[in-house]
Amino acid sequence: KQEVTQIPAALSVPEGENLVLNCSFTDSAIYNLQWFRQDPGKGLTSLLLIQSSQREQTSGRLNASLDKSSGRSTLYIAASQPGDSATYLCAVRPHSGGYQKVTFGTGTKLQVIP
Amino acid sequence: EAGVAQSPRYKIIEKRQSVAFWCNPISGHATLYWYQQILGQGPKLLIQFQNNGVVDDSQLPKDRFSAERLKGVDSTLKIQPAKLEDSAVYLCASSRNRASTDTQYFGPGTRLTVL
């Protein structure tokens, strides 16, 4: 059974700082890994999706990396802004072939202080 | 493009009462998901529909939870009777299909409090 862990559970940083969020998964036989953002009272918004054959994906100030062999992914946020304050979740999809159920991590709650 | 709609946004009930949630996915999306997100945890898949057929309901507590997706569009999730541990946010999501590369689009969720 796939287990996805995110550490730390909460993080508070001053505005402008670069930061890294971590995601670990126990079964390396994944098809892809996705990072989501969740704002209070709202649903999840997809940020980046990394296929198992890729090492990283970039979008603006965000960079996500994937190391399948070690069961890890990181989300790098450059020059953090107060608007980045939210909970960040990673989700893992099993390897292709038949039905694939996504497993979510527990999330990291980020607060960027002006 | 309109997003995934859910209602109500908030619901407070007493234990042993019944409650129903409604979801309208993005137009044309064949796959619909219901997730339960307990405070401090990640979303847990309850049920997944492909059109109006159930693909996975392995984590749905079938003794009290039920869901349907009539005509392969809107969906309702019902809890009867509710327990204290059902307090959570219920998220609906949809995707064009169930392919691995299809992004899931989430609704705002319904926050359920069971007293």
Side-chain angles (χ1 to χ4, degrees):
Chain A
K1 177 186 174 184
Q2 177 75 270
E3 293 184 6
V4 183
T5 305
Q6 292 185 246
I7 296 174
L11 181 64
S12 184
V13 301
E15 181 178 2
E17 193 165 293
N18 301 325
L19 59 101
V20 174
L21 306 180
N22 298 295
C23 172
S24 301
F25 45 95
T26 55
D27 187 347
S28 62
I30 68 168
Y31 191 73
N32 62 37
L33 183 145
Q34 196 162 4
W35 282 93
F36 290 86
R37 168 186 173 136
Q38 185 172 30
D39 292 283
K42 296 186 179 181
L44 281 66
T45 302
S46 178
L47 297 174
L48 290 165
L49 185 149
I50 312 177
Q51 300 295 344
S52 62
S53 58
Q54 298 174 320
R55 296 285 292 182
E56 64 179 305
Q57 282 285 337
T58 299
S59 176
R61 295 182 295 108
L62 305 179
N63 176 278
S65 68
L66 175 64
D67 184 343
K68 231 177 45 166
S69 60
S70 67
R72 293 179 183 175
S73 175
T74 61
L75 179 66
Y76 175 82
I77 303 177
S80 59
Q81 302 171 358
D84 295 331
S85 298
T87 297
Y88 291 81
L89 294 146
C90 66
V92 172
R93 190 183 292 273
H95 199 272
S96 63
Y99 170 68
Q100 306 133 30
K101 181 164 59 185
V102 171
T103 302
F104 280 85
T106 50
T108 294
K109 186 174 183 179
L110 172 66
Q111 182 182 23
V112 181
I113 302 168
Chain B
E1 179 182 68
V4 177
Q6 289 188 248
S7 68
R9 293 295 311 279
Y10 306 91
K11 191 73 177 179
I12 300 174
I13 62 173
E14 294 187 351
K15 60 183 179 182
R16 290 188 289 274
Q17 285 188 323
S18 301
V19 65
F21 311 129
W22 173 81
C23 173
N24 180 235
I26 293 174
S27 178
H29 280 197
T31 309
L32 186 146
Y33 314 77
W34 281 104
Y35 289 88
Q36 180 192 57
Q37 186 176 23
I38 293 173
L39 186 64
Q41 298 182 17
K44 180 183 80 171
L45 181 70
L46 292 176
I47 189 167
Q48 178 179 340
F49 291 94
Q50 181 69 16
N51 296 310
N52 60 351
V54 175
V55 174
D56 184 352
D57 62 358
S58 58
Q59 299 188 111
L60 186 74
K62 299 180 185 63
D63 58 334
R64 298 182 300 104
F65 285 64
S66 64
E68 60 181 8
R69 190 183 184 196
L70 299 176
K71 302 180 181 179
V73 182
D74 293 4
S75 177
T76 55
L77 176 69
K78 296 179 182 178
I79 307 175
Q80 181 180 13
K83 293 184 175 181
L84 296 177
E85 58 261 37
D86 298 332
S87 294
V89 176
Y90 291 84
L91 296 164
C92 179
S94 70
S95 62
R96 282 182 301 172
N97 215 317
R98 63 175 185 177
S100 300
T101 53
D102 281 347
T103 296
Q104 294 183 37
Y105 295 87
F106 284 80
T110 296
R111 182 177 296 277
L112 173 67
T113 302
V114 182
L115 303 175

